[in-house]
mmCIF file of all heavy atoms in Angstrom:
data_model
loop_
_atom_site.group_PDB
_atom_site.id
_atom_site.type_symbol
_atom_site.label_atom_id
_atom_site.label_comp_id
_atom_site.label_asym_id
_atom_site.label_seq_id
_atom_site.Cartn_x
_atom_site.Cartn_y
_atom_site.Cartn_z
ATOM 1 N N ALA A 1 0.828 -1.206 0.000
ATOM 2 C CA ALA A 1 0.000 0.000 0.000
ATOM 3 C C ALA A 1 0.862 1.256 0.000
ATOM 4 O O ALA A 1 0.572 2.233 -0.718
ATOM 5 C CB ALA A 1 -0.932 -0.011 1.204
ATOM 6 N N SER A 2 1.929 1.273 0.793
ATOM 7 C CA SER A 2 2.818 2.442 0.834
ATOM 8 C C SER A 2 3.489 2.656 -0.515
ATOM 9 O O SER A 2 3.634 3.794 -0.993
ATOM 10 C CB SER A 2 3.870 2.262 1.928
ATOM 11 O OG SER A 2 3.272 2.164 3.197
ATOM 12 N N ARG A 3 3.933 1.539 -1.156
ATOM 13 C CA ARG A 3 4.594 1.655 -2.459
ATOM 14 C C ARG A 3 3.629 2.155 -3.527
ATOM 15 O O ARG A 3 3.970 3.024 -4.342
ATOM 16 C CB ARG A 3 5.142 0.279 -2.857
ATOM 17 C CG ARG A 3 5.880 0.270 -4.219
ATOM 18 C CD ARG A 3 7.247 0.896 -4.093
ATOM 19 N NE ARG A 3 7.902 1.068 -5.360
ATOM 20 C CZ ARG A 3 8.585 0.096 -6.015
ATOM 21 N NH1 ARG A 3 8.650 -1.134 -5.501
ATOM 22 N NH2 ARG A 3 9.197 0.368 -7.139
ATOM 23 N N VAL A 4 2.407 1.646 -3.534
ATOM 24 C CA VAL A 4 1.421 2.082 -4.524
ATOM 25 C C VAL A 4 1.089 3.559 -4.350
ATOM 26 O O VAL A 4 1.007 4.323 -5.325
ATOM 27 C CB VAL A 4 0.147 1.219 -4.433
ATOM 28 C CG1 VAL A 4 -0.974 1.815 -5.272
ATOM 29 C CG2 VAL A 4 0.425 -0.196 -4.897
ATOM 30 N N LEU A 5 0.899 4.003 -3.108
ATOM 31 C CA LEU A 5 0.611 5.424 -2.861
ATOM 32 C C LEU A 5 1.783 6.305 -3.281
ATOM 33 O O LEU A 5 1.593 7.397 -3.837
ATOM 34 C CB LEU A 5 0.277 5.643 -1.383
ATOM 35 C CG LEU A 5 -1.131 5.229 -0.935
ATOM 36 C CD1 LEU A 5 -1.279 5.391 0.575
ATOM 37 C CD2 LEU A 5 -2.196 6.063 -1.649
ATOM 38 N N ALA A 6 3.001 5.844 -3.002
ATOM 39 C CA ALA A 6 4.178 6.642 -3.374
ATOM 40 C C ALA A 6 4.299 6.751 -4.893
ATOM 41 O O ALA A 6 4.624 7.817 -5.433
ATOM 42 C CB ALA A 6 5.434 6.021 -2.775
ATOM 43 N N LEU A 7 4.067 5.638 -5.589
ATOM 44 C CA LEU A 7 4.104 5.693 -7.054
ATOM 45 C C LEU A 7 3.020 6.630 -7.591
ATOM 46 O O LEU A 7 3.268 7.443 -8.494
ATOM 47 C CB LEU A 7 3.909 4.287 -7.629
ATOM 48 C CG LEU A 7 5.065 3.303 -7.473
ATOM 49 C CD1 LEU A 7 4.634 1.905 -7.891
ATOM 50 C CD2 LEU A 7 6.268 3.753 -8.296
ATOM 51 N N PHE A 8 1.814 6.502 -7.066
ATOM 52 C CA PHE A 8 0.696 7.327 -7.533
ATOM 53 C C PHE A 8 0.938 8.805 -7.242
ATOM 54 O O PHE A 8 0.544 9.680 -8.022
ATOM 55 C CB PHE A 8 -0.595 6.857 -6.867
ATOM 56 C CG PHE A 8 -1.832 7.456 -7.463
ATOM 57 C CD1 PHE A 8 -2.379 6.945 -8.629
ATOM 58 C CD2 PHE A 8 -2.464 8.535 -6.864
ATOM 59 C CE1 PHE A 8 -3.524 7.502 -9.185
ATOM 60 C CE2 PHE A 8 -3.606 9.099 -7.411
ATOM 61 C CZ PHE A 8 -4.143 8.574 -8.581
ATOM 62 N N ALA A 9 1.609 9.105 -6.120
ATOM 63 C CA ALA A 9 1.865 10.493 -5.735
ATOM 64 C C ALA A 9 3.107 11.067 -6.383
ATOM 65 O O ALA A 9 3.509 12.197 -6.050
ATOM 66 C CB ALA A 9 1.989 10.580 -4.215
ATOM 67 N N ALA A 10 3.722 10.319 -7.296
ATOM 68 C CA ALA A 10 4.938 10.770 -7.972
ATOM 69 C C ALA A 10 6.066 11.024 -6.986
ATOM 70 O O ALA A 10 6.938 11.862 -7.215
ATOM 71 C CB ALA A 10 4.667 12.032 -8.801
ATOM 72 N N ALA A 11 6.037 10.290 -5.872
ATOM 73 C CA ALA A 11 7.095 10.429 -4.877
ATOM 74 C C ALA A 11 8.171 9.373 -5.047
ATOM 75 O O ALA A 11 9.195 9.411 -4.361
ATOM 76 C CB ALA A 11 6.500 10.339 -3.465
ATOM 77 N N GLU A 12 7.961 8.422 -5.945
ATOM 78 C CA GLU A 12 8.914 7.324 -6.140
ATOM 79 C C GLU A 12 8.941 6.973 -7.611
ATOM 80 O O GLU A 12 7.900 6.927 -8.277
ATOM 81 C CB GLU A 12 8.496 6.111 -5.304
ATOM 82 C CG GLU A 12 9.477 4.953 -5.376
ATOM 83 C CD GLU A 12 9.057 3.807 -4.480
ATOM 84 O OE1 GLU A 12 8.481 4.083 -3.405
ATOM 85 O OE2 GLU A 12 9.300 2.648 -4.861
ATOM 86 N N SER A 13 10.136 6.736 -8.121
ATOM 87 C CA SER A 13 10.309 6.429 -9.530
ATOM 88 C C SER A 13 10.475 4.937 -9.727
ATOM 89 O O SER A 13 11.053 4.247 -8.884
ATOM 90 C CB SER A 13 11.524 7.169 -10.101
ATOM 91 O OG SER A 13 11.725 6.838 -11.449
ATOM 92 N N VAL A 14 9.956 4.451 -10.840
ATOM 93 C CA VAL A 14 10.111 3.039 -11.170
ATOM 94 C C VAL A 14 11.554 2.735 -11.539
ATOM 95 O O VAL A 14 12.131 1.733 -11.128
ATOM 96 C CB VAL A 14 9.167 2.652 -12.330
ATOM 97 C CG1 VAL A 14 9.387 1.205 -12.761
ATOM 98 C CG2 VAL A 14 7.720 2.873 -11.929
ATOM 99 N N LYS A 15 12.142 3.640 -12.345
ATOM 100 C CA LYS A 15 13.530 3.476 -12.769
ATOM 101 C C LYS A 15 14.385 4.542 -12.102
ATOM 102 O O LYS A 15 14.010 5.716 -12.088
ATOM 103 C CB LYS A 15 13.633 3.595 -14.288
ATOM 104 C CG LYS A 15 12.848 2.536 -15.041
ATOM 105 C CD LYS A 15 12.960 2.738 -16.546
ATOM 106 C CE LYS A 15 12.144 1.694 -17.301
ATOM 107 N NZ LYS A 15 12.218 1.892 -18.775
ATOM 108 N N PRO A 16 15.544 4.163 -11.545
ATOM 109 C CA PRO A 16 16.422 5.143 -10.897
ATOM 110 C C PRO A 16 16.841 6.238 -11.872
ATOM 111 O O PRO A 16 17.156 5.982 -13.031
ATOM 112 C CB PRO A 16 17.625 4.300 -10.453
ATOM 113 C CG PRO A 16 17.105 2.904 -10.401
ATOM 114 C CD PRO A 16 16.074 2.798 -11.467
ATOM 115 N N GLY A 17 16.818 7.479 -11.373
ATOM 116 C CA GLY A 17 17.231 8.610 -12.197
ATOM 117 C C GLY A 17 16.166 9.142 -13.114
ATOM 118 O O GLY A 17 16.352 10.177 -13.755
ATOM 119 N N GLN A 18 15.024 8.475 -13.195
ATOM 120 C CA GLN A 18 13.929 8.912 -14.070
ATOM 121 C C GLN A 18 12.914 9.704 -13.263
ATOM 122 O O GLN A 18 12.582 9.337 -12.138
ATOM 123 C CB GLN A 18 13.258 7.707 -14.718
ATOM 124 C CG GLN A 18 12.156 8.080 -15.715
ATOM 125 C CD GLN A 18 11.427 6.860 -16.227
ATOM 126 O OE1 GLN A 18 11.025 5.997 -15.452
ATOM 127 N NE2 GLN A 18 11.280 6.770 -17.537
ATOM 128 N N LYS A 19 12.410 10.795 -13.857
ATOM 129 C CA LYS A 19 11.406 11.597 -13.173
ATOM 130 C C LYS A 19 10.126 10.785 -13.036
ATOM 131 O O LYS A 19 9.610 10.259 -14.031
ATOM 132 C CB LYS A 19 11.121 12.882 -13.954
ATOM 133 C CG LYS A 19 10.112 13.786 -13.267
ATOM 134 C CD LYS A 19 9.863 15.045 -14.079
ATOM 135 C CE LYS A 19 8.813 15.920 -13.409
ATOM 136 N NZ LYS A 19 8.529 17.145 -14.188
ATOM 137 N N PRO A 20 9.613 10.656 -11.802
ATOM 138 C CA PRO A 20 8.399 9.842 -11.621
ATOM 139 C C PRO A 20 7.204 10.495 -12.303
ATOM 140 O O PRO A 20 6.960 11.689 -12.139
ATOM 141 C CB PRO A 20 8.228 9.795 -10.099
ATOM 142 C CG PRO A 20 8.958 10.995 -9.589
ATOM 143 C CD PRO A 20 10.111 11.221 -10.528
ATOM 144 N N PRO A 21 6.443 9.725 -13.106
ATOM 145 C CA PRO A 21 5.300 10.315 -13.808
ATOM 146 C C PRO A 21 4.108 10.571 -12.904
ATOM 147 O O PRO A 21 3.348 11.511 -13.110
ATOM 148 C CB PRO A 21 4.970 9.268 -14.872
ATOM 149 C CG PRO A 21 5.436 7.979 -14.292
ATOM 150 C CD PRO A 21 6.649 8.314 -13.454
ATOM 151 N N GLY A 22 3.906 9.734 -11.878
ATOM 152 C CA GLY A 22 2.751 9.882 -11.010
ATOM 153 C C GLY A 22 1.490 9.367 -11.665
ATOM 154 O O GLY A 22 1.424 9.088 -12.862
ATOM 155 N N GLY A 23 0.425 9.197 -10.846
ATOM 156 C CA GLY A 23 -0.859 8.769 -11.359
ATOM 157 C C GLY A 23 -0.868 7.316 -11.776
ATOM 158 O O GLY A 23 0.012 6.520 -11.456
ATOM 159 N N LEU A 24 -1.902 6.960 -12.529
ATOM 160 C CA LEU A 24 -2.053 5.582 -12.991
ATOM 161 C C LEU A 24 -0.955 5.187 -13.962
ATOM 162 O O LEU A 24 -0.632 3.997 -14.090
ATOM 163 C CB LEU A 24 -3.418 5.416 -13.651
ATOM 164 C CG LEU A 24 -4.633 5.614 -12.730
ATOM 165 C CD1 LEU A 24 -5.914 5.574 -13.538
ATOM 166 C CD2 LEU A 24 -4.659 4.575 -11.623
#
């Protein structure tokens, strides 16, 4: 749940060094 919220909030990137897109 924490990881999904962080991804959705653009607080965490899938790939290192890449700007997180946020959202779905």
Side-chain angles (χ1 to χ4, degrees):
S2 298
R3 181 76 188 278
V4 170
L5 283 175
L7 288 171
F8 191 81
E12 184 177 326
S13 178
V14 176
K15 298 178 181 179
Q18 184 186 48
K19 182 180 178 181
L24 296 174

